Amino acid sequence: MDKYYIDFDFERPLYIQISKHIKCLIEKNDIKEGEKLPSIRKLSSFLDVNKDTIIKAYNKLQTEGFAVQKIGSGTYAKKRDINLKFKNEYSKMFKNLSPDLLKDYIDFTGETACSTYFPVKIFKKVLNEVLDKYGAEAFVYKEGLGFEGLRKSISYCFWDEKLDKDDILIVSGAQQGIDIASKALINVNDNIIVERPTYIGALSVFRWRRANIFEVEIKNDGIDINALEEILKKNRIKCFYTMSYFQNPTGFSYSLEKKIKILELAQKYDFYIIEDDYLSELIYDDKIEYCSFKSLDTNDRVIYIKSFSKIFLPGIRLGYLVSPKKFKENMQKSKINTDISTSSLMQRALDLYINKGLWDEHVNFLNKIYYDKYTYMIKMINHNIKDYVEFYEPGGGFNIYFKILNDDFDSVKLFYECRRRKVLITPGVLFYKNSSDGNKFFRLGFSQLDDNKIEEGIKIIADILKC
Amino acid sequence: MDKYYIDFDFERPLYIQISKHIKCLIEKNDIKEGEKLPSIRKLSSFLDVNKDTIIKAYNKLQTEGFAVQKIGSGTYAKKRDINLKFKNEYSKMFKNLSPDLLKDYIDFTGETACSTYFPVKIFKKVLNEVLDKYGAEAFVYKEGLGFEGLRKSISYCFWDEKLDKDDILIVSGAQQGIDIASKALINVNDNIIVERPTYIGALSVFRWRRANIFEVEIKNDGIDINALEEILKKNRIKCFYTMSYFQNPTGFSYSLEKKIKILELAQKYDFYIIEDDYLSELIYDDKIEYCSFKSLDTNDRVIYIKSFSKIFLPGIRLGYLVSPKKFKENMQKSKINTDISTSSLMQRALDLYINKGLWDEHVNFLNKIYYDKYTYMIKMINHNIKDYVEFYEPGGGFNIYFKILNDDFDSVKLFYECRRRKVLITPGVLFYKNSSDGNKFFRLGFSQLDDNKIEEGIKIIADILKC
């Protein structure tokens, strides 16, 4: 109890001093993550202040994310992120680098297909066909789930009609899908599980929902099932967020066995799986077969999210979400609350594009392009930085994830050194709940770069890691 | 305490029986809104069950929205909406009415400009110009705040450059603006104020954020300032959501005096104003001058939200948000979390459209069209239903709001009668926190209808109200 003692400055609000003091204790680890704070009664008598002052202080801690309240039990400490400063700087850097300035950099941070390969002429034709055919109608939305034609095409072309068109909800990209699913599914302080490491954008949504996040380490065939089951035995889990293919950032894909096992556990422990089907179109390794959680799901346990933006083009802002029947209505309400509806012109254009067989054609074309780029990337890595890092060959997607072997380097230091030499990488600290877990890791995305830039960039990184 | 007594059925989970029983008491008004529930200790000893059972029951009540927890104080009853069933039916009706079926109805529920007047040919030209000029670049987003060109044009054309382009955040319509502002501003159980009645979509977002909603009655020159100040004196308010012109549903606009007064109060009581600038482009009455809260704001108290979709076309999904400096970064993060970015092609097209002076031209054209429609609507009302209703002439916008004078009618009954005769209206119950407050009101929107339909529809409503 002694650590809670405060030498009050009576000129300033006491509750702020108390909450500051406790924040400080949490940050110095004098109060551990999940440690119970003293009861209001106890602390108020110990500090000789009014009960209301303690209540105010605990409320402030909760608002700022340093504490959680559990009904009938008390208030518990919650840790905040130590790399917050770096994270803010990292995100600001991209805001401040204008497209012109960015051109001077070799940018390994890209996560989406390169605009060079976008079939702009063909898409323009398709857009005009839609405008000629539908006129102003093309700009009107009438269907809450999204344009019916597109939903039919998705079911027909991507799911062999095994999905009902009315189970599909059109969304403005995968990020919105994750946001909508969270709103419909997750309440404050609900327990959820993510892979360690995981996608920053998802982590961020779950944090904004104020969920309690558990991490389970991902291996090259999927997450550690034993660790998962340990968590499930002890906690009531609402959902598990996963990227089934070429996981971002690791590039790992799930084995069939693990997918089946996780689906069984979902049924047994009554949780749901949010499957972010990230880049499964780009498979370079013949041994990898495509089979989503959703397609294996017999108990309606999977919320399936697919983006068209990542592979097509980010500015298209299109994707879809398939929900278990149980949440369907809630998902639709959540979508309406979020932005009412997705651009109807784009929906119609994509529909026509898919129906003409152009989507498949484009995906085949991209597979060839990116297969070559991937092969070259792996070659450059092997030639130049193999001795300084451990890495995994994902066999698909856009990213390679590295572990730094050199003891003197952490990923934030590497980031700054690289940036000084006009190379941009993504340090691992961004992908973990406790960012220090990512100190030795970094991600390189090759989708935006040509072979020369890849070679040049990798050589600069090698040069830095060598020191 | 006696009312809490339960004759348990020991075959079924006790906590569910307890939460059901309490729900029932709340619905029957045996437990009043805001009444404190017994402490966990008391109720567990009274019902002779384990404390954990009560905790589980209270958690369930909270999750379902029948209770709120206050740190250090206890659990309090919260009322749920009695017209929930009708609301669900109403929203389902629109999901189930396909565009084809809807054609048989005279639909007074529309809230946006009619597609007939959308300049599709001109917009198509603009789209093609953008695609020719930028190619695939048009589909790429690089700027977190939205396309810089469009932000510049907004500042230049709509704000005489009094707004910094970097204070503008492009969003996918006003609904998304409200969602983003809520995420950035409002935490669980924060107090907020809305107008009574108010826009359904905003009410719904605030409910999903689990805010505590206060209502202040709106009069024909803005909300009741005394009632506002009473609330401000007693409660710590986070923000006030308002539609400054042609409020939805009432059609009321704020007087200059009230706007100034509310801005003063915002400064004095430290709250923020979310100004949803709804349809201020369509002013039919010369006496109404345009002057937003934002333009009067000297203390950076206003979050200004503007939609381009309502007046242009819903399927465009474009709008913008201007945030106080304090929240700027949070708003941008909230936008990224929500859907990363808004369709970049549409942003560029709208930018070009505005720059060519086509936007102003279009707005002038719409003003003429809708002025005529409005005048005809008022004429028909005066000729046919004046004796059965009270109503206000808004002098702008798309909606007229009515109070039913006939004691035998409430708005839900009127809705069903109208629907039976193929006329769709929006009953007032949707616009209030406690929906029964809207029992005697309904809204007619005339934007989607031609003169014949307006006449036919109003005559049918007259016929029904006559009985």
Side-chain angles (χ1 to χ4, degrees), chain B residues 270-312:
Chain B
D270 188 23
F271 66 91
Y272 291 84
I273 297 164
I274 302 179
E275 178 177 29
D276 184 354
D277 187 0
Y278 175 80
L279 285 184
S280 61
E281 292 87 353
L282 298 179
I283 302 184
Y284 319 130
D285 182 342
D286 293 342
K287 288 191 295 296
I288 300 175
E289 257 180 86
Y290 177 64
C291 180
S292 62
F293 277 97
K294 182 77 204 169
S295 66
L296 296 165
D297 176 23
T298 51
N299 295 309
D300 221 11
R301 285 280 162 196
V302 178
I303 296 106
Y304 175 88
I305 296 169
K306 181 82 210 166
S307 164
F308 292 110
S309 302
K310 287 206 179 62
I311 195 151
F312 215 34

Side-chain angles (χ1 to χ4, degrees), chain B residues 42-217:
Chain B
K42 264 195 193 158
L43 191 55
S44 76
S45 81
F46 177 74
L47 291 175
D48 199 15
V49 298
N50 202 304
K51 270 184 178 182
D52 282 348
T53 310
I54 307 295
I55 292 173
K56 269 185 171 171
Y58 280 10
N59 270 324
K60 195 169 158 59
L61 285 169
Q62 185 168 356
T63 314
E64 293 173 357
F66 285 93
V68 241
Q69 242 274 320
K70 293 180 191 166
I71 292 185
S73 167
T75 307
Y76 293 79
K78 209 171 171 179
K79 262 222 140 103
R80 292 248 299 193
D81 203 325
I82 48 159
N83 277 312
L84 207 63
K85 214 182 115 219
F86 169 73
K87 285 184 186 173
N88 280 334
E89 202 177 319
Y90 180 82
S91 81
K92 262 188 204 148
M93 181 188 73
F94 284 96
K95 278 178 218 158
N96 297 337
L97 275 179
S98 70
D100 279 345
L101 276 174
L102 210 54
K103 274 179 192 148
D104 298 337
Y105 286 83
I106 298 175
D107 184 3
F108 283 107
T109 67
E111 291 183 310
T112 54
C114 179
S115 62
T116 318
Y117 309 115
F118 182 66
V120 63
K121 274 190 190 152
I122 296 171
F123 198 74
K124 186 181 149 192
K125 255 193 206 160
V126 170
L127 262 181
N128 280 303
E129 207 175 316
V130 168
L131 288 168
D132 291 339
K133 194 167 161 194
Y134 298 103
E137 271 298 293
F139 292 91
V140 175
Y141 54 76
K142 284 190 170 141
E143 294 132 320
L145 294 170
F147 178 52
E148 193 183 8
L150 178 59
R151 287 185 284 118
K152 274 187 192 162
S153 301
I154 288 169
S155 168
Y156 187 78
C157 301
F158 303 133
W159 292 90
D160 288 331
E161 296 190 88
K162 275 171 205 149
L163 268 190
D164 184 338
K165 69 170 173 26
D166 291 335
D167 287 342
I168 296 169
L169 174 68
I170 305 294
V171 295
S172 309
Q175 183 69 33
Q176 188 180 70
I178 299 168
D179 184 45
I180 284 174
S182 305
K183 276 187 195 158
L185 232 73
I186 303 172
N187 289 315
V188 180
N189 283 327
D190 274 355
N191 296 322
I192 66 155
I193 298 177
V194 300
E195 295 151 345
R196 181 177 63 226
T198 190
Y199 167 53
I200 315 165
L203 212 46
S204 172
V205 167
F206 301 141
R207 280 195 182 120
W208 277 61
R209 287 302 289 173
R210 294 175 177 252
N212 294 325
I213 303 171
F214 291 81
E215 291 172 303
V216 177
E217 202 183 336

Side-chain angles (χ1 to χ4, degrees), chain A residues 42-135:
Chain A
K42 265 191 191 159
L43 191 54
S44 77
S45 80
F46 177 75
L47 292 175
D48 199 15
V49 298
N50 200 303
K51 270 184 178 181
D52 282 347
T53 310
I54 307 294
I55 291 173
K56 269 185 170 173
Y58 280 9
N59 270 324
K60 194 169 158 56
L61 286 169
Q62 185 169 354
T63 313
E64 293 173 356
F66 285 93
V68 241
Q69 242 273 319
K70 293 181 191 165
I71 292 185
S73 167
T75 307
Y76 293 80
K78 210 170 169 178
K79 262 222 141 101
R80 294 248 299 193
D81 202 327
I82 49 161
N83 275 312
L84 207 63
K85 211 181 117 221
F86 169 73
K87 284 184 188 173
N88 281 333
E89 202 178 317
Y90 180 83
S91 80
K92 262 187 203 147
M93 181 188 75
F94 284 96
K95 277 178 220 160
N96 298 335
L97 275 178
S98 69
D100 279 345
L101 276 173
L102 209 55
K103 273 179 192 146
D104 298 337
Y105 287 83
I106 298 174
D107 183 3
F108 283 108
T109 67
E111 291 184 311
T112 54
C114 180
S115 61
T116 318
Y117 308 115
F118 182 67
V120 63
K121 273 190 192 152
I122 295 172
F123 197 74
K124 187 181 147 194
K125 255 192 207 162
V126 170
L127 262 181
N128 279 302
E129 207 175 316
V130 168
L131 288 168
D132 292 338
K133 196 167 160 192
Y134 298 104

Side-chain angles (χ1 to χ4, degrees), chain A residues 143-157:
Chain A
E143 294 132 322
L145 294 169
F147 178 52
E148 193 183 11
L150 178 59
R151 288 185 284 118
K152 274 186 191 160
S153 301
I154 289 169
S155 167
Y156 187 79
C157 300

